[in-house]
C-alpha cells in the first residue's frame, strides 16, 4: 500500500523536498495556517494512492491570487486536499523542467488520482466544488 512515507522513500531527497514544498504552499495560500500534523490517508481498494490531510478542525481563510479565488473559509479537509493537489502538480512541473521526467510522471500520476477521487474523499458536492474552484 502506498503511503506518504513509502512515497518519500521511493523518491528519496525529492520526497523530502516535496514535503517542505507542501508546507510552504499551505502557508502561502492561508494566512491562518500555522503548521500542523498531516496524516497520510488512503482509499480502500486504491493500493497505489494516498493523500495527505491536516489533522485539525480549523476553518482556513484562503486566497489564490493566481485565479482570484477568495470564496470564504475552507475546512481542513478541503484545504488539505486542495493544497496537496496543487503541490503535486506544481512540484511535478518543476521536476519536468529539470529533466527529471520519471519522477515528474509519478507526481503527475498522483495528482490525477487526487482529482479522480476528490469527490469520494470529500464526500460532499459543495466541498468538491470548493476544491475545484481553488485549483481552477
Amino acid at each position: 500500500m502506498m503511503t506518504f512515507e513509502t512515497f518519500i522513500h521511493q523518491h528519496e531527497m525529492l520526497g523530502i523536498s516535496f514535503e517542505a514544498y507542501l508546507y510552504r504552499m499551505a502557508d502561502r495560500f492561508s494566512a491562518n495556517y500555522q503548521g500542523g500534523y498531516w496524516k497520510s490517508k488512503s482509499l480502500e481498494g486504491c493500493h497505489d494512492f494516498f493523500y495527505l490531510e491536516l489533522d485539525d478542525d480549523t476553518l482556513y481563510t484562503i486566497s489564490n491570487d493566481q485565479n482570484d479565488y477568495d470564496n470564504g473559509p475552507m475546512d481542513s479537509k478541503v484545504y488539505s486536499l486542495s493544497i496537496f493537489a496543487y503541490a503535486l502538480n506544481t512540484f511535478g512541473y518543476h521536476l519536468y523542467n529539470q529533466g527529471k521526467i520519471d519522477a515528474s510522471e509519478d507526481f503527475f500520476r498522483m495528482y490525477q488520482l487526487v482529482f479522480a477521487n476528490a469527490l469520494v474523499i470529500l464526500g460532499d458536492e459543495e466541498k468538491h466544488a470548493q476544491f475545484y474552484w481553488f485549483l481552477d
Side-chain angles (χ1 to χ4, degrees):
M1 175 169 287
M2 178 69 75
T3 65
F4 188 46
E5 292 76 22
T6 58
F7 192 74
I8 286 178
H9 181 71
Q10 178 182 353
H11 292 286
E12 298 173 347
M13 287 308 296
L14 290 177
I16 293 168
S17 295
F18 173 74
E19 183 176 21
Y21 183 75
L22 173 74
Y23 302 152
R24 282 195 315 273
M25 292 303 99
D27 188 53
R28 173 184 171 190
F29 289 110
S30 179
N32 65 317
Y33 173 76
Q34 301 296 313
Y37 178 67
W38 292 71
K39 292 182 354 182
S40 182
K41 302 192 95 180
S42 60
L43 293 175
E44 192 172 321
C46 295
H47 300 291
D48 61 344
F49 170 68
F50 74 94
Y51 62 98
L52 295 177
E53 184 178 301
L54 278 162
D55 188 22
D56 66 29
D57 295 331
T58 303
L59 284 177
Y60 290 92
T61 303
I62 56 108
S63 177
N64 185 347
D65 60 1
Q66 293 179 334
N67 66 3
D68 294 325
Y69 179 90
D70 186 8
N71 199 29
M74 198 182 263
D75 75 18
S76 63
K77 189 170 197 142
V78 180
Y79 182 67
S80 302
L81 196 63
S82 298
I83 296 302
F84 182 60
Y86 181 88
L88 285 168
N89 188 42
T90 55
F91 196 81
Y93 178 76
H94 294 304
L95 292 176
Y96 182 83
N97 284 338
Q98 295 170 9
K100 298 175 181 172
I101 306 303
D102 290 342
S104 71
E105 287 176 356
D106 285 348
F107 282 85
F108 290 142
R109 183 180 58 78
M110 194 65 64
Y111 170 76
Q112 291 168 343
L113 288 168
V114 168
F115 259 83
N117 292 290
L119 181 57
V120 173
I121 293 167
L122 298 171
D124 177 280
E125 286 287 341
E126 188 174 319
K127 291 178 180 186
H128 189 237
Q130 252 189 328
F131 168 80
Y132 273 93
W133 292 334
F134 176 78
L135 294 169
D136 183 26

